[in-house]
Amino acid sequence: AKTGPVLTLLLFVCTPGARWNTSSAAFMPFSSSDLPENEVMLPAMGQGIVALQIRRDDLVHREVVITIGDTATMRQARVERGLQRRLGGDCTLPVGVRTWFTEDGGLGMEGILFGADGGEPVRASVEGSGEEEVAESLYRRLTGVVGIE
């Protein structure tokens, strides 16, 4: 078996805001605007994204994976992972997020962070042009960290 450095590529497998339709066993698109604002659930980071890992030197499979990859999804994944990294969390982190693209090509992200003490969760939304900017801004709003802006 070949071994070598691993390259992770992310693929988009369903549309943002998709929901599982159990009666037809398929993903059905819907808009979160179909629900009252206070009923919109924020999913865990990276929901709806599948990551494939291949060897960095596997050029044949790399070309196939790149062909079916989605750059918009990569941007969404990077901003969500940026928030996760700042929070020091993993898949058990009690946070939900929703990421979208703004009309000017920037990113928006809404998050809800639940505390370990059982108190009220903190919910905030931000928009910005860059992935790191959006992740940092939402991190600060959710955690109450005040920095020089």
Side-chain angles (χ1 to χ4, degrees):
K2 292 183 180 180
T3 60
V6 172
L7 173 66
T8 301
L9 301 168
L10 300 176
L11 301 177
F12 191 61
V13 295
C14 66
T15 59
R19 63 181 165 84
W20 184 252
N21 181 334
T22 54
S23 62
S24 66
F27 280 101
M28 302 297 293
F30 86 106
S31 169
S32 59
S33 63
D34 295 340
L35 300 172
E37 188 169 328
N38 62 354
E39 292 187 30
V40 175
M41 181 198 82
L42 298 180
M45 291 183 252
Q47 292 297 303
I49 299 173
V50 173
L52 295 179
Q53 290 187 332
I54 60 172
R55 291 182 310 279
R56 188 173 298 277
D57 61 350
D58 186 346
L59 301 180
V60 173
H61 289 108
R62 183 178 184 171
E63 288 302 313
V64 171
V65 172
I66 287 173
T67 302
I68 60 176
D70 185 81
T71 56
T73 301
M74 289 289 289
R75 286 187 67 202
Q76 289 177 303
R78 283 192 299 261
V79 72
E80 291 180 12
R81 297 285 304 266
L83 176 63
Q84 184 178 32
R85 186 176 57 254
R86 284 167 174 82
L87 291 169
D90 56 18
C91 62
T92 63
L93 185 66
V95 65
V97 297
R98 180 177 64 93
T99 307
W100 65 90
F101 294 98
T102 60
E103 289 183 15
D104 63 357
L107 287 162
M109 186 162 54
E110 178 180 14
I112 186 167
L113 179 63
F114 297 86
D117 61 1
E120 286 294 314
V122 178
R123 193 170 186 148
S125 296
V126 298
E127 289 186 354
S129 59
E131 297 155 13
E132 291 299 314
E133 170 195 353
V134 171
E136 180 68 20
S137 182
L138 187 58
Y139 167 76
R140 289 179 181 198
R141 288 197 182 190
L142 290 175
T143 62
V145 174
V146 178
I148 298 171
E149 304 268 8

